[in-house]
Amino acid sequence: MNALNTNPLIVVSAVCVFDEAGRLLTVRKRGTDKFMHPGGKPEAGETAAQTAARELAEEVGIVLAAEELVPLGIWLADAANEAATQIQATVFTAPGAWHAHPSAEIAEIRWLDLAGELPDDLAPLLTDHVLPALWGQPG
């Protein structure tokens, strides 16, 4: 019998949050070197939006109802911090402009100027899927 050679898949939700200057919030979790969106794995019974809202509050102190999040897309991408692992990410945007502070497992936050040169320490989900969607998607 042949074993299937597939990489593990982790289901996550993530949120695009912007400040007054239009910069995108990125976070770096403790013990990692890649910046990504606030977000994480669902708890039992949570919808993708509920997961995104909970993680946003836990990680950066932004409290927003799940119903207020705007769906951006669902993508498969290489996990930023786990070798040979893929993520299936449901990504939302948070309407409005926000302030954030690192909480829980977040070691550092960084606001990303989407018009500037991109740093080389961004997660694949961000560089391969979300940024192109933000740049190319009609208003």
Side-chain angles (χ1 to χ4, degrees), residues 2-9 83-86:
N2 291 338
L4 290 176
N5 190 13
T6 57
N7 291 336
L9 180 69
T85 301
Q86 282 211 307

Side-chain angles (χ1 to χ4, degrees), residues 98-113:
W98 300 93
H99 297 277
H101 60 276
S103 303
E105 72 268 22
I106 303 304
E108 184 180 359
I109 65 171
R110 183 174 68 195
W111 294 96
L112 185 64
D113 180 356

Side-chain angles (χ1 to χ4, degrees), residues 15 47-54 56-57 62-71 92-95 98:
V15 186
T47 66
Q50 289 168 335
T51 300
R54 177 183 50 77
L56 197 58
I62 295 174
V63 178
L64 195 63
E67 301 78 41
E68 295 180 72
L69 295 172
V70 179
F92 299 88
T93 57
W98 300 93

Side-chain angles (χ1 to χ4, degrees), residues 9-124:
L9 180 69
I10 299 172
V11 175
V12 299
S13 292
V15 186
C16 295
V17 174
F18 297 91
D19 68 3
E20 295 88 357
R23 298 176 303 171
L24 177 67
L25 176 65
T26 59
V27 300
R28 184 179 59 77
K29 298 187 180 193
R30 251 186 241 105
T32 68
D33 59 359
K34 295 286 186 191
F35 281 82
M36 60 190 61
H37 305 87
K41 299 171 191 160
E43 292 181 352
E46 278 185 329
T47 66
Q50 289 168 335
T51 300
R54 177 183 50 77
E55 290 282 347
L56 197 58
E58 289 175 3
E59 293 185 351
V60 295
I62 295 174
V63 178
L64 195 63
E67 301 78 41
E68 295 180 72
L69 295 172
V70 179
L72 181 64
I74 301 172
W75 292 281
L76 288 175
D78 291 332
N81 299 310
E82 298 180 52
T85 301
Q86 282 211 307
I87 59 168
Q88 176 184 306
T90 302
V91 182
F92 299 88
T93 57
W98 300 93
H99 297 277
H101 60 276
S103 303
E105 72 268 22
I106 303 304
E108 184 180 359
I109 65 171
R110 183 174 68 195
W111 294 96
L112 185 64
D113 180 356
L114 299 182
E117 188 171 330
L118 297 178
D120 61 3
D121 58 358
L122 299 176

